[in-house]
Every structure is written in structure tokens, then in C-alpha cells.
Amino acid sequence: TQKMSLLSSAVLVVLLGLSVHSEAPVTPQLDMTSRILEANRLTHILVEGDVVVSKKRNALKCWSRYCTWKKSLNGLVEVPYSISDYYYDEEKVLIQKAMETFHQKTCVRFVPYRGQSDHLSIQSEMGCWSSIGRDGGAQVVSLSVYGCLDHGTIQHELLHALGFHHEHTRSDRDQYVRINWENLPAVNAHDFHKKDTNNLDTPYDYSSIMHYGRTAFSSALGAETITPIPDSSVPTGQREDMSDLDVLRVNRLYGCSW
């Protein structure tokens, strides 16, 4: 079967040291950033750690309204999705539970795929990743069963699919964080370049689910790559749920009345 063949894959064995995905624990000491980066360790098509570059657009930015999802006449933004049958039922429930927060706090509705031309295809590929915004057709969001099915990581990748970059790469970030380039491997420097983002008139959010932790991509154990300024003691990136500002940005980007 598909599951047994994937479980026998040498790559997954080396990467994970596991043989049955239902028994694959998430290492408790790793924060969300570390989990995503570890899950993506052998996936080399990504930028910023978990963003796949679109083959249909010539830039990562969502220009104008091109790559946002369309609002219906009822004021709701319906995002069709399908979930691979590779997942067990309890794993599908975890994904749908993360979607439910969007339903409760925004006008975004993740709805089952019924033949719509554009939709999210949620699959357990190697790693946790998504493209930025609506990319057209069957758009893969990878949520590997090996480390990507915690609540915050699912929301993180869904926010990418809705059109959001990482908080620490937003256009005004230099006023709020210092990037310690000396602690970054040269190959990862481009992952911290600022983006020409639409910040939606919202303040910088250290507690965003889209903010990476202090040691992301660090070249030495414990060395900080991101330091808050002027107060270096400020925590970066909570791991439980979308922050209030994350929710506000979704509502502003999509013109929700929440």
C-alpha cells in the first residue's frame, strides 16, 4: 500500500528514525520553528524554511488581489480543500480543528473540495510547507505526519496559503528585530531578506504564529539569529494559536467585518 511503501522509504527512515507514523512523537523540547526546520531538513526547494516558490508567478508577493482567495456574495471567503487519505481519521481531525479557529474568528471558511478550479490539496509530503497565497489549480500544502500536525504548525502553513509571509521578514522589521548575520550559515542568509509586504497598518507582532524563534537556522547551538530590539528579553513567536494580530490581519486582508 501507499503507506507501507512510504514507511519503508530509506529517506524517511534516515530523517525520522521511525517506522510507524502513528507512533511518531513530536520531540517536546523543540519549538514550532525547530519542528518545521527539522521536518524540512532534506527538502531543498524551499525559501524562508517552509515556503515553496510558485512556478506560476514571478515573485513571492501577492500582487494586488491576484493571489488572495475570492469572497463570495455572502461575505465569506471560501477556500476549498481536500485532505489526502494517507492521513488517519484522527490526523484529519487535527487539521480540521486548526481550520476551525479561522471559522470562529475570521470570514475565511475552509470548505470541502467539490470540483472547484482552485483548491488546497493537503498532503503528507516531506516536511511542512506551502506557497504564498492562492496559486491556482490544486495547490499542495504539505503537513507531514512526521512533525507537522501540531495546532500551531498547521495554522502557520494555512496562513502562508492565505497570503502571509513570516513576521520577521516584513518590510519594517529592522525597527523591531536585529538579524545576527554572523550566526547564520551563508546558504541561509537569503531566508532572512526582507519582503515587500503589505503590513495592513498593523504593528509588528513578536507573538505572531508567523514569527520564527530566536535560533532559527543558527550555525551554532544556542546562537541567536533573531534578537528583538530595543528590548532583547521580549519573547518571539508563541506556539499555541494565532495571535490577535494574526487574526486581525486575516480580517483586514480579506475585508471581513469581524
Side-chain angles (χ1 to χ4, degrees):
T1 66
Q2 180 189 16
K3 283 198 176 184
M4 292 305 295
S5 64
L6 286 174
L7 290 174
S8 63
S9 164
V11 173
L12 287 180
V13 170
V14 171
L15 175 62
L16 300 157
L18 298 165
S19 60
V20 181
H21 90 241
S22 62
E23 298 176 0
V26 175
T27 307
Q29 67 267 29
L30 295 182
D31 65 15
M32 186 182 69
T33 300
S34 300
R35 292 175 192 168
I36 291 174
L37 296 182
E38 178 62 20
N40 293 350
R41 189 161 56 90
L42 296 184
T43 305
H44 54 271
I45 60 171
L46 307 174
V47 296
E48 297 185 49
D50 67 333
V51 174
V52 64
V53 177
S54 172
K55 296 180 180 179
K56 303 169 187 175
R57 302 197 301 263
N58 61 4
L60 284 173
K61 183 177 179 179
C62 291
W63 294 103
S64 185
R65 305 296 291 184
Y66 173 77
C67 63
T68 52
W69 297 84
K70 296 178 181 179
K71 181 183 286 188
S72 302
L73 293 177
N74 61 8
L76 299 178
V77 178
E78 294 188 348
V79 181
Y81 74 94
S82 62
I83 301 181
S84 169
D85 286 336
Y86 180 80
Y87 296 103
Y88 293 132
D89 288 344
E90 57 267 31
E91 293 166 340
K92 293 180 180 180
V93 168
L94 293 174
I95 296 170
Q96 291 165 336
K97 184 176 180 181
M99 291 176 171
E100 187 61 33
T101 305
F102 292 87
H103 301 175
Q104 294 170 353
K105 297 183 178 182
T106 78
C107 64
V108 172
R109 298 291 184 272
F110 293 96
V111 299
Y113 172 63
R114 295 289 186 268
Q116 297 92 333
S117 57
D118 297 342
H119 67 280
L120 301 181
S121 177
I122 299 175
Q123 302 179 23
S124 180
E125 301 288 343
M126 188 179 294
C128 330
W129 46 263
S130 173
S131 54
I132 300 292
R134 179 173 59 87
D135 201 31
Q139 176 178 332
V140 174
V141 174
S142 177
L143 295 171
S144 172
V145 297
Y146 301 100
C148 303
L149 291 183
D150 61 280
H151 191 76
T153 299
I154 297 168
Q155 287 188 342
H156 183 101
E157 301 306 334
L158 290 176
L159 281 167
H160 279 318
L162 289 175
F164 293 92
H165 279 280
H166 294 127
E167 186 73 356
H168 53 278
T169 64
R170 60 183 265 172
S171 57
D172 61 350
R173 66 100 186 275
D174 289 339
Q175 302 175 47
Y176 306 99
V177 295
R178 180 177 67 251
I179 305 302
N180 302 308
W181 302 101
E182 68 278 9
N183 294 335
L184 277 168
V187 69
N188 294 121
H190 70 281
D191 294 313
F192 288 78
H193 290 169
K194 289 184 293 184
K195 303 298 185 293
D196 183 14
T197 53
N198 177 4
N199 299 322
L200 298 164
D201 295 320
T202 60
Y204 191 90
D205 185 14
Y206 297 103
S207 65
S208 171
I209 204 80
M210 303 304 286
H211 204 303
Y212 270 4
R214 295 170 179 265
T215 60
F217 295 97
S218 177
S219 58
L221 183 64
E224 286 193 359
T225 54
I226 303 173
T227 302
I229 55 175
D231 183 358
S232 62
S233 67
V234 174
T236 62
Q238 53 82 24
R239 308 305 175 216
E240 301 301 321
D241 204 344
M242 290 188 294
S243 71
D244 290 343
L245 284 174
D246 288 329
V247 172
L248 176 62
R249 288 180 189 130
V250 172
N251 285 326
R252 285 194 177 177
L253 180 63
Y254 285 98
C256 304
S257 58
W258 268 245

